[in-house]
Amino acid sequence: MVKGMSSAHATTVVLAGLAKVMPASTLRRPSVDFLMRPAPSPADILRDIPLLPRVRVSLERAMLHEPPEGDWTVGRLLAIPGFSLRTLHDAVEAASQLRQAALHPPHSPTTLEDELAPLLAARPRLWPRPPTPLLEQAIALIGQLAPASEAAILASFVKSGLARGEVTLAQIERASRFVEAPIPYAILRRGDLCLVIPNSDLALTQRVYGLAVRTVVSWGLARVGHLAEQAGTERTGFVTAVVKARPSFRWLAESSGWFWFESKDARLVHSIEKVLAVSSRISAATLSRAVFQRRPSEFVPPLSVLEALCRQVPHFAWDSTGHVQLACPEPLLLSDEDRGLIDLFRARGPRIEAQQCQSLAQTVGLTADRLLRRLAVALFVIEQPPGVFQLVSEEQPEAATA
């Protein structure tokens, strides 16, 4: 031990001092003078220097077979099986970093971005491992906020003064390898969704989100309470947090839990477009009857929900009398077969009965069965009463309650 120094400091000083006399090449035999230089014992190096795993293994093996007594030199270290000149170079470099850190202590980072910068640049690991108080604080805060979207978490970092707003969850994930404590959350990524959830809720989150996407894709909109029931949970607040994390989430009626994932290409939007392409102006009740006439009751929303959706689609124009129309009608919304069906109604309507299909089929170039199927599935045709069809533009439904 160097006089007047602690054992840890002495180990660092002696090893770091070898940096100036290390051979330029690890392939050549070192000089006798270099081999005779004093060196710390394997026990001292293991105790005081943060080593790479392969360096540590060599020294730990030597501790089992080599008596630690006596003076240690560089040559004695290099005689340890597996402890080569390159291994010694790695240990000396680690000691030099410790020495520099002791002589020139860095300023403590004040933001998460500054603390993460050296961690993110480390390939594959940073030795010695630096303290990460801000990263640990961020991980703890994420665990408290979960479930939450990435945007909500990053906004919370800025609000608390922890970050400047330039950090991402992906960067925190990469830097987390320097934290020994377990990470209390998982991150679910699906397309544009990035959601942080407690580890214990990962399976439930995947189930809820999958149900939400399938329901909205199939029916155009969904209700939180129905999703919770399908997922087998009573935690409607948790279900709400999961679906709200998707950037395209929009409330249609927050009090009753109706929502959709906004998209101009949604199937329900295209259904409404086709109905409005036939009827220049239509009431909410008639529109609801047309687009929802063949749906299960649990997927038929109140009129107020349908109105809210229409108001969120820019090319739907909703007026003060409760009627909606296309802001800019597009003829291409209808196929040739659709137009043929509309022309048939205008020539032989306003109503067509099922028993008329046999005589009318030839006029539109279809078989009777094909014509009947087209009448039954066309969105712009309403069947009321059963077996009697009419264009939605001609329908005058009974008053409906919003």
Side-chain angles (χ1 to χ4, degrees):
M1 182 187 301
V2 180
K3 187 176 181 180
M5 294 186 184
S6 66
S7 59
H9 190 193
T11 303
T12 303
V13 169
V14 173
L15 265 185
L18 295 176
K20 297 180 180 179
V21 293
M22 284 288 293
S25 172
T26 59
L27 301 178
R28 295 182 180 179
R29 182 179 178 83
S31 65
V32 175
D33 180 62
F34 178 73
L35 294 175
M36 295 301 295
R37 282 183 171 271
S41 70
D44 291 338
I45 298 175
L46 286 169
R47 183 191 63 229
D48 301 329
I49 307 297
L51 301 170
L52 293 170
R54 58 186 176 81
V55 181
R56 179 170 289 277
V57 168
S58 298
L59 294 179
E60 288 174 343
R61 189 182 299 120
M63 293 285 293
L64 297 176
H65 305 288
E66 182 78 12
E69 295 81 9
D71 295 331
W72 280 82
T73 63
V74 171
R76 190 177 176 187
L77 280 178
L78 294 178
I80 296 173
F83 196 91
S84 63
L85 194 59
R86 181 177 178 181
T87 311
L88 176 63
H89 180 274
D90 291 336
V92 169
E93 185 177 1
S96 299
Q97 291 178 5
L98 276 182
R99 179 70 173 155
Q100 288 299 316
L103 294 174
H104 307 287
H107 297 292
S108 298
T110 58
T111 64
L112 190 57
E113 288 87 349
D114 295 334
E115 185 177 278
L116 295 187
L119 307 182
L120 298 175
R123 298 285 192 279
R125 306 218 20 125
L126 188 62
W127 295 91
R129 180 178 296 168
T132 54
L134 298 181
L135 175 58
E136 292 167 18
Q137 184 180 342
I139 290 173
L141 182 57
I142 294 173
Q144 294 169 11
L145 294 173
S149 66
E150 178 176 26
I153 287 172
L154 300 184
S156 179
F157 286 169
V158 174
K159 184 177 180 180
S160 64
L162 189 59
R164 297 190 298 268
E166 302 167 7
V167 72
T168 66
L169 277 183
Q171 291 174 328
I172 293 175
E173 281 185 281
R174 286 177 53 199
S176 294
R177 68 187 190 274
F178 294 99
V179 177
E180 295 182 354
I183 307 301
Y185 56 83
I187 299 179
L188 179 68
R189 289 186 171 88
R190 296 286 189 276
D192 59 353
L193 172 80
C194 183
L195 177 65
V196 179
I197 62 272
N199 288 321
S200 59
D201 287 328
L202 179 58
L204 176 60
T205 303
Q206 292 172 325
R207 187 161 64 250
V208 166
Y209 186 71
L211 284 169
V213 171
R214 289 193 296 272
T215 301
V216 173
V217 168
S218 299
W219 306 108
L221 68 183
R223 186 169 56 85
V224 168
H226 184 247
L227 289 179
E229 182 180 346
Q230 286 184 301
T233 180
E234 296 180 356
R235 300 164 59 188
T236 55
F238 180 84
V239 174
T240 299
V242 170
V243 297
K244 283 183 68 175
R246 181 162 171 151
S248 58
F249 171 89
R250 299 291 183 271
W251 279 122
L252 297 175
E254 185 172 359
S255 59
S256 54
W258 286 97
F259 70 92
W260 74 312
F261 297 137
E262 183 180 24
S263 171
K264 62 182 179 61
D265 296 319
R267 184 180 301 176
L268 179 57
V269 171
H270 287 323
S271 297
I272 296 173
E273 287 174 340
K274 183 161 286 193
V275 172
L276 296 181
V278 175
S279 177
S280 59
R281 184 170 175 271
I282 197 171
S283 68
T286 301
L287 178 61
S288 176
R289 179 172 294 188
V291 297
F292 300 139
Q293 61 182 316
R294 300 175 185 92
R295 288 194 177 198
S297 59
E298 61 267 28
F299 297 112
V300 177
L303 296 185
S304 57
V305 170
L306 179 60
E307 178 181 349
L309 187 146
C310 289
R311 289 185 182 278
Q312 292 181 22
V313 178
H315 55 279
F316 294 160
W318 196 278
D319 63 29
S320 58
T321 64
H323 288 74
V324 63
Q325 61 186 13
L326 285 173
C328 298
E330 299 180 32
L332 294 180
L333 291 173
L334 299 174
S335 66
D336 290 341
E337 198 170 80
D338 290 333
R339 294 191 186 93
L341 206 57
I342 294 169
D343 291 341
L344 179 63
F345 271 102
R346 289 173 178 165
R348 301 296 183 92
R351 291 174 176 81
I352 294 177
E353 298 184 9
Q355 56 265 33
Q356 294 178 267
C357 289
Q358 189 67 45
S359 59
L360 296 177
Q362 292 183 351
T363 65
V364 290
L366 299 173
T367 64
D369 288 342
R370 174 66 176 170
L371 176 58
L372 186 60
R373 284 197 299 271
R374 288 290 298 137
L375 290 171
V377 301
L379 288 167
F380 49 83
V381 174
I382 290 180
E383 185 178 4
Q384 184 69 27
V388 179
F389 305 93
Q390 56 190 323
L391 284 179
V392 67
S393 56
E394 304 296 336
E395 171 68 2
Q396 300 296 327
E398 298 175 2
T401 304

